[in-house]
Amino acid sequence: MADQAHFADLAMEHMPSLYSAALRMTRNPADAEDLVQETYLKAYRAFARFEEGTNLKAWLYKILTNTFINSYRAKKRRPEQTELDDTEDFYLYRRLGGLEAAAAERTPESQVLESIPEPVVKEALESLPEQFRMAVLLADVEGFSYKEIAEIMDVPIGTVMSRLHRGRKQLQSRLWQFATERGLLPEPATAAGP
């Protein structure tokens, strides 16, 4: 059982990454700040039930994700609102799939991804259905394991794997289409014939 007096010491170090995730979820800085604030309030109130020695970051992300999903569902019931400030710093493909580790080796995939403008990547990611987008963000941007994502999203691991697979395929398809239209793909090798 965790002591609420130590909440700030333990939880505040995760605020920047939680804010980044909230910004990607909400697509609005003010909404992201509200989401993080509500997450920390809920986490503080429930901190006595947190088991020390478990993954605090994953626990906070679960609260963040559940809070976002609940507010998203509530907004669905309200009339449509237009977001005026849809800005976000987004560097998905510098982190996607461990590209940081592969920086020394420039693969054809990394070369193509580097030539796709960030707004196009952001638009492709945001066009994914919510459940797929959340899975891709948590896995490929935040670096959570399947098990952690399953706990955060409160779904079975198989569902996480399915959503990740489908989300990545849809994202790949959208980016492939852009790369094809812009001529960013290398010419396919042709077999020498008689």
Side-chain angles (χ1 to χ4, degrees):
M1 211 171 203
D3 180 10
Q4 281 185 318
H6 299 295
F7 176 78
D9 296 337
L10 299 172
M12 295 310 283
E13 72 180 79
H14 300 293
M15 187 176 283
S17 63
L18 284 170
Y19 176 75
S20 295
L23 190 58
R24 284 187 293 276
M25 289 177 194
T26 63
R27 304 178 196 137
N28 179 296
D31 290 343
E33 289 172 6
D34 291 346
L35 179 58
V36 171
Q37 183 175 359
E38 190 171 345
T39 298
Y40 271 87
L41 179 62
K42 288 179 178 181
Y44 179 76
R45 288 178 178 160
F47 198 63
R49 293 189 303 264
F50 174 73
E51 295 178 32
E52 287 191 63
T54 60
N55 188 340
L56 177 62
K57 185 177 178 182
W59 185 71
L60 290 169
Y61 268 84
K62 180 170 185 156
I63 295 171
L64 178 84
T65 303
N66 287 341
T67 303
F68 171 73
I69 290 169
N70 291 338
S71 68
Y72 176 78
R73 286 178 183 154
K75 284 181 184 178
K76 283 274 210 193
R77 290 184 221 121
R78 285 189 239 138
E80 183 111 4
Q81 297 177 353
T82 304
E83 300 291 333
L84 297 177
D85 186 15
D86 193 16
T87 60
E88 180 176 353
D89 291 329
F90 201 79
Y91 299 99
L92 175 65
Y93 282 93
R94 290 191 187 144
R95 298 182 66 190
L96 224 183
L99 288 180
E100 294 162 335
E105 297 179 21
R106 290 183 43 91
T107 64
E109 292 86 0
S110 66
Q111 291 175 6
V112 169
L113 290 175
E114 288 172 6
S115 63
I116 296 177
E118 290 175 29
V120 172
V121 175
K122 177 184 170 199
E123 184 180 322
L125 186 63
E126 288 179 354
S127 71
L128 295 177
E130 189 70 28
Q131 60 192 8
F132 301 150
R133 186 168 58 90
M134 293 296 297
V136 170
L137 286 172
L138 290 172
D140 297 333
V141 177
E142 298 301 330
F144 284 108
S145 69
Y146 290 170
K147 181 180 179 196
E148 291 169 326
I149 296 169
E151 290 171 4
I152 290 168
M153 296 181 75
D154 200 24
V155 296
I157 289 178
T159 302
V160 169
M161 294 168 66
S162 172
R163 288 179 182 177
L164 268 174
H165 176 75
R166 293 175 66 193
R168 287 172 176 161
K169 282 291 187 193
Q170 288 181 21
L171 186 61
Q172 178 186 15
S173 174
R174 287 176 172 90
L175 295 176
W176 181 268
Q177 181 180 0
F178 175 84
T180 303
E181 290 169 0
R182 297 294 198 284
L184 300 175
L185 300 174
E187 293 296 319
T190 57

